[in-house]
Amino acid sequence: MSLTFQPAVYSDGSLLVLPRPVTRLRLQNAWDAEQFKVPLSAGDVRGSASANGIDILVEGQFSSAAGSILATEAEMLAAVESLRAALSPSGFDARYEFFLYHDTGSDTYRKFSGCTTARFESDLSEASLFTYSLVVHAENPTLLTTAPGS
């Protein structure tokens, strides 16, 4: 098995691989727990810990998209709009899947489900290369191995 780093969004039946290069991708895990303190006693007691969803922080550049080099501002702007559309699924309860890796040989994936966009920022000020940053929240903290849509 040879997993390939291929961040992508699967929404409304279509897969959009994030524009490349993806310069940074971080997963933020957090846990909540009850915490109790006894007055006049040193320390505290924690219990009932549970995992929160995952925040996925992504930074990248609009250098290429869908295997094509983006050489002009118009091409990069079109890629910005495509990414914005994929990150904004239709409907109030709409969620998407966020893929990290794919192995074409064994058709194996690594993805998070129940995803929504917390923040999307694109910097269009450098005409030669647009950049973006993205925060995706995955409700399910489990890294899944299923195919798109399953």
Side-chain angles (χ1 to χ4, degrees):
M1 178 166 60
S2 175
L3 288 173
T4 302
F5 182 65
Q6 191 172 6
V9 173
Y10 181 77
S11 173
D12 297 329
S14 64
L15 184 73
L16 176 69
V17 176
L18 293 183
R20 303 296 238 152
V22 173
T23 57
R24 180 167 297 174
L25 193 146
R26 298 184 320 216
L27 304 178
Q28 288 186 336
N29 294 281
W31 291 263
D32 283 332
E34 293 292 330
Q35 186 167 334
F36 302 98
K37 172 79 174 113
V38 177
L40 303 176
S41 177
D44 57 23
V45 176
R46 290 179 60 107
S48 304
S50 62
N52 292 338
I54 300 276
D55 283 333
I56 305 163
L57 294 83
V58 182
E59 294 177 11
Q61 300 171 335
F62 289 97
S63 178
S64 70
S68 299
I69 300 296
L70 304 175
T72 67
E73 286 184 80
E75 291 170 337
M76 289 187 289
L77 188 57
V80 169
E81 288 304 308
S82 292
L83 184 55
R84 286 181 65 211
L87 296 172
S88 304
S90 59
F92 178 73
D93 291 331
R95 303 289 187 262
Y96 56 86
E97 298 172 343
F98 189 86
F99 286 81
L100 301 176
Y101 289 92
H102 179 226
D103 176 12
T104 55
S106 66
D107 212 26
T108 303
Y109 300 87
R110 297 293 186 274
K111 71 175 185 182
F112 290 102
S113 64
C115 296
T116 55
T117 305
R119 184 178 58 82
F120 175 68
E121 179 180 321
S122 52
D123 184 352
L124 314 180
S125 60
E126 183 61 46
S128 61
L129 185 61
F130 293 173
T131 61
Y132 66 93
S133 63
L134 166 66
V135 178
V136 174
H137 181 77
E139 295 171 351
N140 183 353
T142 305
L143 188 59
L144 303 171
T145 60
T146 56
S150 57

